[in-house]
Amino acid sequence: MRLETTMMADKSDDDGQTDLLTKTKPKTKRPPLYKVLLLNDDFTPMEFVVHVLERFFGLNHAQAFEIMLTVHKKGLAVVGVFSHEIAETKVAQVMDFARRHQHPLQCTMEKED
């Protein structure tokens, strides 16, 4: 946390000097953001990946399809940027959903630069 100081002049003393009062107010820093990434594998069906993107990331079908193709072609794709807690929850939800459907889909998170 960074502190910002504001100075205010007080009334003059008899000797002509001015006293200064300092008022400190905290300057809050934004929490770091985290990228959620989907990783490609050779076994998870493309339709399943599209469904995951629609269900857990709120993407429409066209957006989900585009990201799925990026994952397929490049090996991974960023599917969203969130606070730590939300990113962690999204990763857990995707991983759990994939396991329950017996797919090896991998989802990770990393701190945004």
Side-chain angles (χ1 to χ4, degrees):
M1 184 183 295
R2 202 174 109 213
L3 296 177
E4 192 174 276
T5 305
T6 307
M7 295 187 172
M8 298 172 3
D10 195 9
K11 58 186 175 191
S12 295
D13 288 338
D14 290 340
D15 60 0
Q17 293 186 350
T18 303
D19 293 333
L20 294 177
L21 300 175
T22 59
K23 180 180 171 186
T24 307
K25 64 179 177 181
K27 187 166 190 172
T28 56
K29 186 178 173 187
R30 288 184 180 243
L33 295 176
Y34 291 79
K35 299 184 280 191
V36 174
L37 303 129
L38 274 186
L39 308 176
N40 189 41
D41 65 72
D42 294 332
F43 305 101
T44 305
M46 292 179 175
E47 299 81 23
F48 184 79
V49 175
V50 170
H51 178 68
V52 164
L53 292 167
E54 291 171 344
R55 178 174 179 158
F56 296 106
F57 297 94
L59 302 175
N60 65 39
H61 188 76
Q63 293 168 322
F65 191 82
E66 277 298 312
I67 291 176
M68 177 277 297
L69 284 179
T70 302
V71 171
H72 181 69
K73 291 176 183 174
K74 295 188 176 183
L76 61 86
V78 174
V79 295
V81 179
F82 308 95
S83 68
H84 185 271
E85 293 78 15
I86 293 173
E88 203 170 48
T89 300
K90 298 264 185 207
V91 169
Q93 288 173 327
V94 169
M95 295 294 289
D96 181 56
F97 190 70
R99 297 300 156 267
R100 284 189 283 129
H101 289 85
Q102 300 176 344
H103 294 302
L105 182 64
Q106 294 291 306
C107 185
T108 63
M109 62 188 262
E110 65 181 42
K111 196 171 186 178
E112 190 177 47
D113 298 332

